[in-house]
Amino acid sequence: MPDVKRENPDAFKLLGDKLAAMDGVTGKVGWFESAQYPDGTPVAYAAAINEMGSPRNSIPARSFFRSTAAEQDGKWKETANTVSSMILEGKITPQQGMEILCLKAEGDVAAKIASITSPPLSPITLGALKYRQQGKTVTGATIGEIARKLKDGTLDISGVSDKPLVDSSLMINTLTSTVEG
């Protein structure tokens, strides 16, 4: 650390100033108010349902946020240590350091979303995707219609992606981060 040396009588003050500059700098990764589906549904709401699942609606959890945090914890700590050193050495500002951390987390979460293949989508979900592919609106009533057509074999769901979390790609494409303070 070039600015903070034993011979420097102001070393502790400089260190204190740099640490104080980091205080209050926060980063957020996720989906913000502007990210909405065409019907006005917040992407954050859909992401939370996919992250946690909704047993009442037969939607299984497909964790991408919590699982990424658990898997990347060590690497994120290493990055935080490197960034902290760079801040203390005066190479970057606290805001730049937080941006580095947020972009790393954002990239890791996006990669996790892209890699998820299970639990598989249900046949009814695939039927709903097929309906949307055909330009039809999916409602509670059409879900019943889809279920009946699947049961009697009159709905062909071929040609529909069975990859979870990428129906419209809006969720992965609107994942972002921000730095405040």
Side-chain angles (χ1 to χ4, degrees):
M1 293 182 227
D3 294 337
V4 182
K5 295 182 181 177
R6 274 204 147 129
E7 305 87 47
N8 183 347
D10 296 326
F12 287 110
K13 181 181 178 338
L14 289 170
L15 180 60
D17 290 347
K18 289 183 186 264
L19 291 171
M22 287 189 261
D23 192 35
V25 177
T26 59
K28 297 177 182 179
V29 177
W31 296 268
F32 301 97
E33 195 173 315
S34 62
Q36 296 183 356
Y37 287 95
D39 68 358
T41 301
V43 176
Y45 174 74
I49 289 172
N50 280 291
E51 174 72 21
M52 304 301 288
S54 177
R56 188 178 89 211
N57 296 309
S58 301
I59 300 171
R62 293 183 176 93
S63 177
F64 47 85
F65 228 106
R66 292 170 299 151
S67 59
T68 301
E71 292 165 9
Q72 298 298 325
D73 182 59
K75 290 180 183 178
W76 289 355
K77 285 178 182 173
E78 287 174 23
T79 302
N81 286 336
T82 301
V83 163
S84 296
S85 294
M86 293 171 71
I87 293 168
L88 292 173
E89 292 169 7
K91 294 179 179 177
I92 61 174
T93 66
Q95 291 79 7
Q96 290 169 326
M98 186 59 74
E99 189 171 309
I100 290 167
L101 290 169
C102 286
L103 289 172
K104 169 102 177 91
E106 183 183 325
D108 291 341
V109 171
K112 181 68 169 194
I113 290 169
S115 74
I116 290 176
T117 58
S118 66
L121 297 176
S122 74
I124 290 178
T125 299
L126 294 172
L129 294 174
K130 184 68 167 197
Y131 264 44
R132 279 199 290 268
Q133 218 178 49
Q134 296 169 344
K136 297 177 183 176
T137 302
V138 177
T139 65
T142 53
I143 292 295
E145 180 182 322
I146 290 166
R148 284 189 299 281
K149 287 185 174 192
L150 286 168
K151 186 175 181 178
D152 66 20
T154 60
L155 178 60
D156 177 17
I157 56 175
S158 63
V160 175
S161 172
D162 62 356
K163 169 77 176 75
L165 306 179
V166 294
D167 174 21
S168 67
S169 297
L170 189 61
M171 189 170 77
I172 198 168
N173 289 334
T174 57
L175 173 64
T176 191
S177 58
T178 185
V179 174
E180 298 170 354

